[in-house]
Amino acid sequence: MSGATFAIPVWAEYAAIAIGGIQGAAYATGFRERRIDLFGVAVIGVATGLGGGVLRDIALSTQLVALRSDGYIPAAVAAALIGMLLASVFTRFDTAITVLDALTLGLFGAIGTSKALAYGLPEIPAAFVGVLAAVGGGVLRDILLNMPITVMHVGSFYAVAAGIGTVTLVVLHDLDVPVFVAASVSAAVTFAVRLLAVAFGWSLPEQRTLELSRANVGFGLLRRRQIAPREYVDTATGTITTYKVVPRGDGGEPPAG
């Protein structure tokens, strides 16, 4: 790309950061039992609004853009506090927030990919950096809240939408399409895929495990081996349910104690 990166207007960059901060804080208000204080809300807002760009710059081993200006961090903090105070209002405009979120996803993905290509990364790593920039803020938010990572669960099409957009940019780049046009198309593709996924409930299939019965296993040792029955017992670990395996006795009941 001859050293050029996709540049967006400053107001759009601040808007994207603000949307991330508002969403992070509004999301955190759903966990009132955590008793998050104002500083905690500010941290979540900064992580959500700036996290993707920070992870992108770390992956590229370059100076953090978030630290080049005095305005980015205060903007994220202010947006987070607004999101906390007006969470009940923002939930009424969920469609608008979803649209803005999809736009932010596309912009951050395009910026990350084009910057990675400008730094000389090959196509696949460049697309990966773009996805990292697009979803990184949400990942950091979930980690701070000790929640399952949203982008890894059924029903989330964030990373897939960002990946389709970043791959589109890489393909257009290889076809010598001007950087601004390629990045704009990439952002539009991500935006459209994300909104279509929300509208039609698109999702990747849930994880599957290959089940093999002993009748189909051709190893005599495995056929002779007696496998003790097991049951899974849920245990509380913070807010995430985990499971432990408990051996069962011959009578079909867990051993005493």
Side-chain angles (χ1 to χ4, degrees):
M1 285 193 178
S2 303
T5 57
F6 176 47
I8 62 174
V10 174
W11 65 265
E13 191 168 3
Y14 274 100
I17 293 172
I19 293 168
I22 289 173
Q23 286 184 320
Y27 183 81
T29 57
F31 305 94
R32 295 189 180 277
E33 71 279 1
R34 305 289 184 87
R35 301 187 65 185
I36 302 173
D37 61 14
L38 292 179
F39 178 76
V41 172
V43 170
I44 292 171
V46 171
T48 308
L50 300 176
V54 169
L55 293 178
R56 173 202 65 207
D57 293 338
I58 291 175
L60 295 176
S61 299
T62 185
Q63 182 181 359
L64 303 183
V65 173
L67 303 181
R68 290 182 180 178
S69 171
D70 289 328
Y72 292 133
I73 294 176
V77 171
L81 296 178
I82 292 173
M84 177 194 68
L85 295 173
L86 302 179
S88 60
V89 175
F90 286 115
T91 55
R92 299 177 185 177
F93 301 96
D94 185 63
T95 301
I97 293 296
T98 300
V99 170
L100 293 175
D101 177 49
L103 179 59
T104 304
L105 191 73
L107 289 174
F108 282 156
I111 295 170
T113 305
S114 60
K115 186 172 183 177
L117 289 171
Y119 271 71
L121 266 66
E123 285 81 358
I124 293 178
F128 172 77
V129 170
V131 174
L132 183 65
V135 305
V139 171
L140 292 180
R141 176 204 65 198
D142 294 337
I143 292 174
L144 288 173
L145 290 172
N146 192 28
M147 295 295 296
I149 307 301
T150 302
V151 299
M152 298 174 62
H153 282 255
V154 174
S156 172
F157 223 66
Y158 281 97
V160 175
I164 293 173
T166 57
V167 169
T168 300
L169 194 156
V170 167
V171 171
L172 294 177
H173 164 260
D174 289 342
L175 296 175
D176 293 327
V177 176
V179 57
F180 182 82
V181 175
S184 299
V185 172
S186 170
V189 168
T190 301
F191 176 80
V193 171
R194 173 58 186 157
L195 291 187
L196 289 173
V198 173
F200 295 101
W202 292 350
S203 176
L204 292 179
E206 191 173 351
Q207 63 171 333
R208 294 289 186 269
T209 301
L210 181 62
E211 298 291 346
L212 296 176
S213 64
R214 275 191 289 173
N216 296 328
V217 178
F219 299 96
L221 179 61
L222 291 179
R223 288 200 302 269
R224 291 194 301 269
R225 182 183 178 188
Q226 297 296 323
I227 302 176
R230 301 175 299 172
E231 70 171 354
Y232 290 88
V233 179
D234 62 308
T235 59
T237 305
T239 59
I240 303 174
T241 301
T242 58
Y243 297 89
K244 65 178 181 180
V245 178
V246 177
R248 298 169 64 94
D250 293 338
E253 295 294 332

